[in-house]
Amino acid sequence: MAVDNKIEWNFNNTYLSLPKIMLSEQKPDIVEKPEVVIINHALSKELGLNLLDLDDKYLASVFSGNSLPDGSKTISMAYAGHQFGHFTILGDGRAITIGEHVTQNNQGFEIQFKGSGKTKFSRDGDGKAALGPMLREYIISEAMHYLNIPTTRSLAVIKTGEKVIRETELKGAILTRVATSHLRVGTFQYFAYKKDDSNLKTLINFTINKHYPSLKNKENLYLNLIDKLMEKQIDLIVNWMRVGFIHGVMNTDNMALSGETIDYGPCAFMDQYDPKSVFSSIDHFGRYAYYNQPTIAKWNLARFAECLIPLLDSNKDKAIKLATDKINEFDSNYEKKWLGMMRDKLGMIGNQKEDEVLILDLLQWMHINKADYTNTFCNLTYENMINDKIFHKDDFLKWKERWKIRLSVNNNDKTSEKTMKKSNPVVIPRNHLVEDALKTAETGDLEKTNRLLKVLSEPYKIQSSIQDLQISPKPSKIPYKTFCGT
């Protein structure tokens, strides 16, 4: 059933110009008892939507998919992907895009329901989602946004009144996800697998028009697209490393062409610094561990480049060399940006030959002493904010003296301080805090969720009475594990 446009959607739906082979018209399931859990009014304001003046019953009906807005065109999309290195044909198994909303400044955002029922691509899945994982994506994606990291965002979570069966019986829910697009490396792999060069070109042109219009007049358009995506992904991964974020499931179908973080299944934030940190319950060999994220990004980009080989040059050998040479630029480009990011975290202006050694010595000290990643940099940025005896150890104080000597080269304390404050968050969505908030949210109590969201909306600001949100959890005999939430 369509409803009038009280929310003031402005749908354009450019994705309908994509090849029909990759789209499936799909209606969301009707749910019996939709109920609003949370609405993101800050995001709705950014999008130019009117949600504040509407009652919860109306909003629950719209964001559950029971009442589709006028102008919406509901589809699910096909794509492929390498999941833990293994290629498979996939698609939106439980996600339905209802339209592309265009804001007043002409920015397009795809609005997608996650958990709204079976699609053509569901395979053996039920197409549903549970309340806990949907609220988790809401919390973490919004936290990432305020950490100034490119990300999809969350507009609403609705309870469906249904039960979802996983290992146990869970409350059903639907998340409304907002993205500049849901195009993935896996979308390109879908056409490469089918050897469909014509539709592949159509997809490339669509992607360039949407995300990279500056490339239109470039020579060798396809090589430039690889280069641009590599730049975007390096920037993204460097940002993840900056805040200790571990995505947990960096399959090629979870690498977005927009350069946004997408899919918040088994993700987590690192407390104690350990480069081998991995939390996903299904990542038994650390393929997507913290330290391995740049390597996997490069691997995924190589799979993207493979898709474009037929278009790079009529001579296959030359095309392969062009792609290989471009991908091999990843390591030096990443290292340069990673070093720049670490210099910013430590307030080191300019380049000094001893910088890398100084940075690596700090990371080694953190690893050996099991120091909290966020709090170590917070301690350096804000003297004595974090009261932990670990920061009074002799070996740390000796390193700190070397660091202060390096800072004296800057000859600009104000710039160093400003750079550090922009680079080092005071608070992050720590795993135990998120889990605690979700546990109480299951009972209908959103007090902890709302408090967490409020504090995380200003992660670089000194806030009062948040010490309990800054404390690193005590080590547990039971390792913390995250799950895909499917």
Side-chain angles (χ1 to χ4, degrees):
M1 177 181 74
V3 297
D4 56 5
N5 197 7
K6 293 180 183 177
I7 293 177
E8 299 179 10
W9 298 109
N10 178 28
F11 288 121
N12 189 10
N13 304 325
T14 59
Y15 53 74
L16 291 177
S17 66
L18 289 170
K20 301 307 177 192
I21 190 174
M22 67 176 292
L23 307 176
S24 173
E25 292 188 16
Q26 187 73 50
K27 296 290 186 185
D29 285 358
I30 299 296
V31 300
E32 288 187 15
K33 297 179 180 179
E35 181 183 340
V36 170
V37 178
I38 193 165
I39 298 288
N40 191 339
H41 290 290
L43 175 56
S44 70
K45 186 177 180 181
E46 290 176 35
L47 295 173
L49 301 176
N50 173 34
L51 302 184
L52 276 173
D53 300 330
L54 302 174
D55 63 67
D56 280 358
K57 185 176 180 181
Y58 179 89
L59 293 174
S61 183
V62 171
F63 287 112
S64 65
N66 279 6
S67 302
L68 293 169
D70 288 338
S72 63
K73 300 290 183 183
T74 55
I75 63 159
S76 54
M77 297 178 69
Y79 48 83
H82 275 90
Q83 298 195 314
F84 288 86
H86 303 288
F87 182 81
T88 186
I89 296 294
L90 300 161
D92 290 328
R94 58 173 179 153
I96 294 174
T97 300
I98 68 164
E100 180 187 23
H101 170 70
V102 182
T103 64
Q104 286 187 340
N105 59 0
N106 207 33
Q107 283 187 288
F109 294 91
E110 288 180 13
I111 312 299
Q112 186 181 81
F113 292 158
K114 190 172 180 180
S116 53
K118 276 192 172 186
T119 75
K120 176 182 175 181
F121 311 108
S122 295
R123 295 180 291 178
D124 296 327
D126 60 9
K128 303 292 185 177
L131 177 61
M134 296 304 95
L135 269 177
R136 194 168 194 275
E137 177 160 341
Y138 186 106
I139 293 169
I140 304 243
S141 63
E142 286 305 294
M144 292 286 274
H145 168 72
Y146 290 109
L147 284 165
N148 299 322
I149 298 174
T151 179
T152 60
R153 297 190 64 188
S154 300
L155 185 57
V157 176
I158 306 295
K159 284 193 294 188
T160 62
E162 302 170 337
K163 298 298 182 183
V164 176
I165 307 299
R166 297 298 180 256
E167 292 182 353
T168 58
E169 190 176 80
L170 303 170
K171 293 178 180 178
I174 295 170
L175 170 79
T176 301
R177 181 160 70 186
V178 178
T180 53
S181 84
H182 289 87
L183 296 171
R184 313 146 189 266
V185 168
T187 316
F188 286 75
Q189 289 181 293
Y190 180 79
F191 289 112
Y193 170 76
K194 292 181 174 295
K195 300 189 184 332
D196 189 344
D197 292 351
S198 176
N199 279 329
L200 182 61
K201 283 184 179 180
T202 300
L203 179 61
I204 289 170
N205 290 332
F206 179 87
T207 302
I208 289 169
N209 284 331
K210 188 165 187 62
H211 295 298
Y212 307 114
S214 62
L215 297 183
K216 285 181 183 179
N217 298 320
K218 295 279 187 181
E219 215 173 305
N220 203 330
L221 181 66
Y222 308 113
L223 194 63
N224 274 284
L225 180 57
I226 297 171
D227 187 63
K228 196 67 178 177
L229 182 58
M230 182 162 64
E231 178 189 344
K232 284 276 190 179
Q233 293 301 323
I234 287 175
D235 288 343
L236 183 63
I237 302 300
V238 166
N239 260 314
W240 290 358
M241 306 299 273
R242 175 173 64 85
V243 299
F245 175 75
I246 302 158
H247 185 277
V249 61
M250 284 181 65
N251 299 324
T252 54
D253 52 293
N254 288 329
M255 180 177 276
L257 268 291
S258 62
E260 295 171 323
T261 311
I262 187 171
D263 198 328
Y264 289 94
C267 66
F269 280 77
M270 182 168 57
D271 292 308
Q272 294 179 349
Y273 178 73
D274 181 353
K276 293 185 178 179
S277 291
V278 60
F279 300 106
S280 171
S281 62
I282 57 175
D283 191 358
H284 304 297
F285 302 104
R287 177 179 173 88
Y288 301 139
Y290 174 77
Y291 81 102
N292 216 25
Q293 292 183 129
T295 303
I296 290 300
K298 180 183 178 182
W299 192 90
N300 288 350
L301 287 164
R303 306 290 76 77
F304 177 72
E306 285 172 354
C307 298
L308 272 56
I309 281 173
L311 309 177
L312 289 175
D313 196 277
S314 56
N315 183 307
K316 186 176 181 181
D317 290 339
K318 184 178 178 182
I320 291 172
K321 187 176 188 309
L322 285 169
T324 302
D325 289 347
K326 179 54 65 180
I327 295 299
N328 283 341
E329 293 176 11
F330 181 96
D331 295 328
S332 60
N333 291 346
Y334 174 81
E335 182 180 0
K336 181 179 178 181
K337 289 196 174 183
W338 180 84
L339 277 172
M341 174 271 289
M342 292 302 295
R343 284 191 178 101
D344 286 348
K345 285 181 75 67
L346 292 170
M348 300 190 299
I349 300 170
N351 300 344
Q352 298 292 320
K353 62 181 181 181
E354 71 271 18
D355 288 353
E356 187 170 0
V357 172
L358 192 62
I359 291 165
L360 293 177
D361 283 351
L362 174 62
L363 294 176
Q364 184 179 28
W365 177 86
M366 290 166 64
H367 189 200
I368 291 170
N369 289 275
K370 299 180 179 179
D372 185 272
Y373 181 79
T374 300
N375 287 349
T376 298
F377 289 102
C378 196
N379 174 271
L380 294 170
T381 306
Y382 302 93
E383 193 78 30
N384 300 321
M385 172 187 276
I386 305 298
N387 185 19
D388 191 325
K389 62 184 179 181
I390 196 172
F391 301 126
H392 299 286
K393 295 182 69 169
D394 285 344
D395 46 3
F396 180 72
L397 294 175
K398 286 177 181 177
W399 177 88
K400 199 171 177 180
E401 282 303 313
R402 291 166 55 203
W403 170 62
K404 286 185 174 180
I405 291 170
R406 167 61 179 89
L407 288 190
S408 68
V409 177
N410 295 351
N411 199 27
N412 194 330
D413 292 343
K414 291 289 185 184
T415 301
S416 292
E417 182 183 348
K418 186 178 179 181
T419 302
M420 290 179 72
K421 287 180 177 179
K422 285 175 60 179
S423 303
N424 298 314
V426 173
V427 64
I428 57 168
R430 293 185 181 274
N431 308 317
H432 68 291
L433 299 173
V434 173
E435 295 300 333
D436 189 34
L438 295 181
K439 186 176 180 181
T440 57
E442 288 277 358
T443 69
D445 181 0
L446 289 180
E447 183 178 352
K448 289 182 178 179
T449 297
N450 287 328
R451 183 196 175 207
L452 197 55
L453 285 165
K454 185 176 185 298
V455 171
L456 291 172
S457 70
E458 296 183 298
Y460 299 101
K461 181 182 176 182
I462 302 298
Q463 303 179 59
S464 61
S465 305
I466 64 165
Q467 290 81 2
D468 58 318
L469 304 184
Q470 295 175 287
I471 298 170
S472 185
K474 292 180 179 179
S476 171
K477 292 181 181 179
I478 305 173
Y480 178 71
K481 291 292 181 186
T482 56
F483 302 87
C484 285
T486 53

